[in-house]
């Protein structure tokens, strides 16, 4: 059996917005647009999932609001504080707790944990050009799809995943790329 894991990094947050805690930083305008754009791409490309697990940080909440606006459907996530700025080991622990009734899950969180999950699950054997793209950069609002050869979420952790898709906002709209103003 195969489980499908979508890893969505939060969209670009606003560093100009004075907030007391990093946890409370909202998205900037570019981040809002990127979240909607990724949501639209997900809808157009048949991306589906049965559960969403997300960090409760403001920028993740805002990202999901934008994704749902573009996706045309809203799901109520399971908010898990452990995901906030978590390591890959912690993220994998969270995923091991997912019910096996769910074959497809989206986790929404932060880097470097999100990209490290890709590195931990996708073999580094040269067979995945997309893994090399992640090695270059896992930008904000990027979405990775991993098909994992496991029967149970509790078995997650070995490098047996196929990185099927890696979509960055700049791939969909050049105005969302690093050189855009």
């Amino acid at each position: 059996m195969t489980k499908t894991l979508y890893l969505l990094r939060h969209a670009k947050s606003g560093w100009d917005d004075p907030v007391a805690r990093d946890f409370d930083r909202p998205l900037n305008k570019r981040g809002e647009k990127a979240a909607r754009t990724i949501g639209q791409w997900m809808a157009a490309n048949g991306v589906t999932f049965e559960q969403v697990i997300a960090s409760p940080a403001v920028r993740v909440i805002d990202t999901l609001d934008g994704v749902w606006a573009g996706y045309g459907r809203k799901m109520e996530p399971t908010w898990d504080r452990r995901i906030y700025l978590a390591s890959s080991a912690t993220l994998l622990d969270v995923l091991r707790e997912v019910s096996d009734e769910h074959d497809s899950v989206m986790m929404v969180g932060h880097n470097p944990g999100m990209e490290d999950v890709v590195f931990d699950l996708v073999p580094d054997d040269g067979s995945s050009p997309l893994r090399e793209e992640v090695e270059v950069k896992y930008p904000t609002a990027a979405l990775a799809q991993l098909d994992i050869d496991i029967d149970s979420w509790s078995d997650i952790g070995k490098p047996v995943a196929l990185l099927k898709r890696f979509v960055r906002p700049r791939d969909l709209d050049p105005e969302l790329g690093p050189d855009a103003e």
Side-chain angles (χ1 to χ4, degrees):
M1 175 158 256
T2 300
K3 302 286 187 188
T4 301
L5 174 62
Y6 294 96
L7 296 171
L8 177 63
R9 183 177 175 201
H10 68 78
K12 193 155 198 62
S13 58
W15 286 93
D16 296 336
D17 198 342
V19 293
R21 302 180 314 157
D22 173 75
F23 188 86
D24 298 323
R25 269 190 299 118
L27 297 185
N28 64 22
K29 294 294 182 199
R30 189 167 151 195
E32 292 170 359
K33 182 178 180 182
R36 277 190 313 277
T37 301
I38 285 292
Q40 290 166 345
W41 180 89
M42 290 166 57
N45 287 276
V47 171
T48 60
F49 33 84
E50 300 155 342
Q51 182 179 13
V52 178
I53 308 166
S55 161
V58 170
R59 59 191 178 272
V60 172
I61 294 168
D62 291 350
T63 296
L64 281 171
D65 287 345
V67 166
W68 302 142
Y71 192 63
R73 175 177 160 224
K74 181 176 181 174
M75 289 183 69
E76 188 58 39
T78 300
W79 302 108
D80 194 322
R81 179 78 183 217
R82 294 175 295 172
I83 297 172
Y84 176 67
L85 302 181
S87 68
S88 175
T90 299
L91 296 175
L92 291 172
D93 284 344
V94 170
L95 288 166
R96 284 185 190 103
E97 296 172 8
V98 171
S99 169
D100 288 328
E101 71 184 80
H102 303 302
D103 290 327
S104 183
V105 171
M106 182 167 73
M107 179 178 269
V108 189
H110 313 265
N111 246 4
M114 300 303 272
E115 70 182 27
D116 288 343
V117 168
V118 172
F119 300 147
D120 287 345
L121 297 180
V122 178
D124 185 13
D125 59 7
S127 66
S128 176
L130 292 177
R131 189 183 193 283
E132 294 171 16
E133 293 286 328
V134 173
E135 287 176 9
V136 171
K137 185 168 185 177
Y138 198 124
T140 53
L143 178 72
Q145 177 187 340
L146 287 76
D147 289 346
I148 310 168
D149 188 18
I150 53 175
D151 293 325
S152 172
W153 289 106
S154 63
D155 296 332
I156 198 167
K158 295 179 182 164
V160 295
L162 169 66
L163 181 55
K164 191 162 184 175
R165 297 192 263 200
F166 182 58
V167 181
R168 301 163 296 196
R170 71 176 178 224
D171 299 331
L172 308 173
D173 181 343
E175 290 182 11
L176 296 171
D179 300 326
E181 291 297 320

